Structure formats: C-alpha cells, structure tokens
Amino acid sequence: MRIIVENDYHSMSKKAALMVASQITLKPDSNLGLATGGTPLAMYDKLIEMFREDEVDFNEVKSFNLDEYCGLEADHPNSYHYYMYDNFFKEINIKKENIHIPNGKADDFDRECRDYEETIKKAGGIDLQILGIGSNGHIGFNEPAESLNVATEVVNLTEETIKANSRYFESKDNVPKKAISMGMATILKADRIILLARGKNKAEAIKKTVNGKISTQEPASLLQTHPQVTIIIDQEAASLINKKDLSADCHFEICK
Ligand code: GLP
C-alpha cells in the first residue's frame, strides 16, 4: 500500500488525474472503475481539462461505476447516472456504449446485479478502480457489517450514510434506503486501486484503513490485502495516521 499525503485537495486531485491519464496512455482501451461523491469532483475536472488539452483520450475507455441508488431514474439529479454525465461524461469523448452504471430502476435487481458482474468480467476486469470512502469506512456502498458482499448486490444503507449523503438531497427523507453496489471482491479484483479522501471527517476511517488490521466493520481495511493500492489524501484526512501502526508493507510519502 502506498500512502501519499498531499498539501491540499487541489494537489491530491491533480495527482489522481495524472495517474488516471497515465493508465489510459499505457492502455488506451482501459477499463476504469469510477466513483461518485464530492471527493473525486476535482479529479474529474482536471481530467476534463487534460482532455481539452489533448493530453488524454477516452475514445476507447470503458467505465464501470461502483454503485447507484435504488429507485432513482437515470435523469434524477441525485442519481449517480446524472452525477457522472453532468460532472464528467458530457465533457469528454467516452462512447455512450462504453459507459456502465448499475440501473437503479431495474425490474429485476438480482438479474441486474448478476448482469453487471458479467459485463465487467466479459470486458476483462477493471484495470484501475477509483474509490472514495465513507466516514464509516464504506467503499462503494459496502457498509460496515459482520459480513460483506462478494459480488455486486443490493445493499441497505446505514443511518450514518443516509445522514452523510443527505447533504446532496432536499432532505434526509429523500435519500434512498437501498443501493446497488459492486461487492468487495468486484473491487479487489481490479488490477490497481486509487482511494481518495479529504478532510477531518475522513481521518478516523483512513486511520482504520491503513493500521495493519482488517475488519469487515471497516470495509476499506480490506484494501490492505491488495498488492496495488495507492491512497491519496490531504493532510487533514491523514492527521490521525500513526506511522508506527501502519501495515508492514506500507510506503508513506508526504508531498511538499
Ligand atoms: C457515497 C458513495 C461512495 C463515496 C462516498 C463518499 O456513499 N457511494 O462511493 O466514496 O459517498 O462521498 P464524499 O466524497 O462525498 O464524502
């Protein structure tokens, strides 16, 4: 695990964007796993800027989003479909048929989840997965629990997540209680993973992600089992990391 502590949100987003662009330069038909939430927004902005400058080309890229709320139409302003088109896809040259996001309005959710897994598999798996993290340590919508899902499934959102995500909705009551999320194995099968986090309210979750112990109560801690994880965080999100507690193979860098 490589942990990169950047000065601020701008520099961490730029670093992540450069890594995504490098992935696409190395493999133009890369399969990207993409995340939503407030954290990756500036990374998407930087990638749009690089696309406009001809520094990256999404023509052959395939994308697979981590999750989607159940019950929201694709054109609902709070759906992750809407988020992805509005903040990223409409500004770049990714082909519509290469965009994959779970359908929150599927008639048959079990089938939707199975098909989503199958689509990722058929595409050859995810080359680079971008992740955010919930303040409770969730990744995708894999919430802390006694056991975690292996593959893409419908999940119940915790009170904490509903409350945290209500800032994007009119009220807490409008936040869907369920979502479709890639499972832990779906995520961990990616060749490379980049996790982004910023701010004090992520500091505890980041500490538990890297502290050398694994627990399903801290889903992000399972990333310690993956050989190619880069965590890019700002100083606030890094503030509770105790270097002595880091897992043995952690590489810790503070950028000036
Ligand atoms: C949602 C998403 C996660 C994301 C998290 C954090 O719950 N399902 O993928 O990581 O929000 O969001 P933010 O970056 O806004 O804190």
Side-chain angles (χ1 to χ4, degrees), residues 19-37:
M19 288 181 183
V20 174
S22 304
Q23 168 67 42
I24 299 169
T25 305
L26 281 168
K27 184 172 182 272
D29 61 345
S30 284
N31 296 332
L32 301 182
L34 297 178
T36 52

Side-chain angles (χ1 to χ4, degrees), residues 3-252:
I3 303 169
I4 303 174
V5 183
E6 289 283 344
N7 265 328
D8 54 31
Y9 180 53
H10 174 79
S11 48
M12 58 176 264
S13 305
K14 187 174 166 193
K15 182 151 286 178
L18 290 174
M19 288 181 183
V20 174
S22 304
Q23 168 67 42
I24 299 169
T25 305
L26 281 168
K27 184 172 182 272
D29 61 345
S30 284
N31 296 332
L32 301 182
L34 297 178
T36 52
T39 311
L41 283 174
M43 177 194 77
Y44 290 137
D45 283 347
K46 181 69 190 167
L47 283 167
I48 292 167
E49 192 188 309
M50 293 176 79
F51 167 69
R52 289 185 184 146
E53 299 290 324
D54 275 338
E55 289 165 1
V56 61
D57 182 359
F58 296 89
N59 189 42
E60 293 178 57
V61 166
K62 288 196 177 82
S63 72
F64 297 89
N65 263 77
L66 277 169
D67 44 19
E68 177 60 288
Y69 289 113
C70 290
L72 299 191
E73 299 280 359
D75 61 358
H76 188 290
N78 287 118
S79 76
Y80 288 161
H81 276 78
Y82 189 94
Y83 169 108
M84 289 308 301
Y85 278 89
D86 200 43
N87 293 302
F88 193 39
F89 295 150
K90 75 173 166 39
E91 306 293 342
I92 59 170
N93 67 336
I94 188 166
K95 290 180 182 143
K96 207 162 184 245
E97 65 267 27
N98 286 343
I99 294 171
H100 304 278
I101 307 174
N103 177 6
K105 286 292 275 182
D107 292 330
D108 180 341
F109 280 116
D110 286 344
R111 189 168 172 180
E112 174 65 19
C113 293
R114 272 199 314 275
D115 289 352
Y116 199 66
E117 280 291 317
E118 199 49 38
T119 311
I120 295 172
K121 202 169 154 191
K122 272 202 189 127
I126 290 169
D127 295 297
L128 175 63
Q129 175 69 55
I130 304 297
L131 296 175
I133 185 169
S135 49
N136 64 358
H138 74 223
I139 49 178
F141 267 131
N142 293 286
E143 299 278 35
E146 257 177 48
S147 61
L148 298 171
N149 289 327
V150 171
T152 302
E153 286 206 37
V154 171
V155 295
N156 293 313
L157 304 185
T158 60
E159 262 309 298
E160 191 176 348
T161 295
I162 291 171
K163 200 170 153 220
N165 290 5
S166 66
R167 68 190 192 277
Y168 299 116
F169 288 77
E170 245 173 60
S171 81
K172 195 169 151 249
D173 295 339
N174 293 85
V175 184
K177 310 283 178 282
K178 286 177 188 288
I180 299 179
S181 176
M182 282 188 193
M184 290 307 295
T186 327
I187 294 171
L188 291 168
K189 274 188 273 187
D191 285 351
R192 284 175 182 275
I193 298 176
I194 294 175
L195 182 142
L196 302 172
R198 71 184 291 212
K200 267 207 180 79
N201 70 326
K202 299 290 171 71
E204 189 66 36
I206 288 296
K207 179 186 168 192
K208 290 181 181 156
T209 300
V210 301
N211 72 358
K213 292 204 166 45
I214 292 165
S215 164
T216 58
Q217 297 294 345
E218 184 65 29
S221 68
L222 271 84
L223 295 173
Q224 291 180 74
T225 65
H226 192 284
Q228 288 289 351
V229 174
T230 304
I231 296 187
I232 309 177
I233 47 184
D234 69 358
Q235 290 181 354
E236 286 189 344
S239 59
L240 297 180
I241 296 177
N242 182 344
K243 277 176 88 177
K244 278 189 290 187
D245 293 339
L246 292 177
S247 62
D249 63 347
C250 253
H251 183 76
F252 188 79

